[in-house]
Amino acid sequence: MKNDIEIPVEWGDTAQAAIVFYPNYFRWFDIGTRHLLDAAGVPYGFLRKELGLLGLPLVEAGSRFLSPIRFGDTVTLASHVAFWRRKTLRVDHLVSVDGRRCAEGHEIRVVAKGRDGQIQAIPPPKRLLKALPVHNSEA
């Protein structure tokens, strides 16, 4: 499954060089993951209430910046699950403007439950695996 969203670039998203300040890409990746979960029918409320999870805490993130984005641009953010491991998943993101690849990023997230006040990594429930299949993509 792949999910695309559009994000308008606001003045406050840019740095002194008049291009998007790099931490905003990571904020967008987080937004992309949330929208991917929503589109798959497993929003955070469902993860917590129905599956008994704390959520999908971030344990790693990275990005390559390919082309500048400026105030007034509209970003298309394409997000998908690249792979599952025993207790984690990788969500890949492609950031583009008018078809121009601007950045590629990834997040590694752990499937987590709470136990005795501690966070515990667990294998993903079957419902989550079914809702978020790996998407083969060029991104």
Side-chain angles (χ1 to χ4, degrees):
M1 162 172 217
K2 180 174 88 72
N3 191 65
D4 295 352
I5 60 172
E6 290 192 346
I7 302 170
V9 177
E10 302 294 342
W11 177 257
D13 293 330
T14 63
Q16 197 169 10
I19 60 175
V20 170
F21 186 46
Y22 76 91
N24 288 304
Y25 290 89
F26 294 98
R27 182 173 56 88
W28 293 341
F29 298 162
D30 193 66
I31 291 168
T33 297
R34 182 187 67 82
H35 282 271
L36 177 63
L37 292 170
D38 290 352
V42 288
Y44 272 107
F46 180 87
L47 295 180
R48 295 178 69 84
K49 185 176 178 185
E50 301 297 324
L51 299 181
L53 301 176
L54 288 177
L56 301 171
L58 185 68
V59 294
E60 178 184 314
S63 187
R64 288 183 343 129
F65 306 105
L66 307 170
S67 182
I69 299 174
R70 303 183 187 289
F71 167 65
D73 286 341
T74 298
V75 164
T76 300
L77 176 65
S79 305
H80 69 273
V81 174
F83 60 77
W84 284 93
R85 294 281 191 252
R86 203 168 132 252
K87 297 179 181 180
T88 61
L89 71 153
R90 176 176 162 143
V91 181
D92 281 358
H93 305 280
L94 172 63
V95 180
S96 61
V97 174
D98 296 327
R100 173 176 47 94
R101 290 173 85 98
C102 298
E104 301 166 346
H106 74 272
E107 300 172 305
I108 304 290
R109 292 179 171 271
V110 65
V111 180
K113 267 196 159 184
R115 185 175 186 161
D116 300 326
Q118 301 295 314
I119 295 175
Q120 176 186 22
I122 63 165
K126 288 180 184 175
R127 172 70 174 95
L128 189 57
L129 288 169
K130 185 177 178 182
L132 293 169
V134 170
H135 177 79
N136 295 322
S137 174
E138 298 174 17

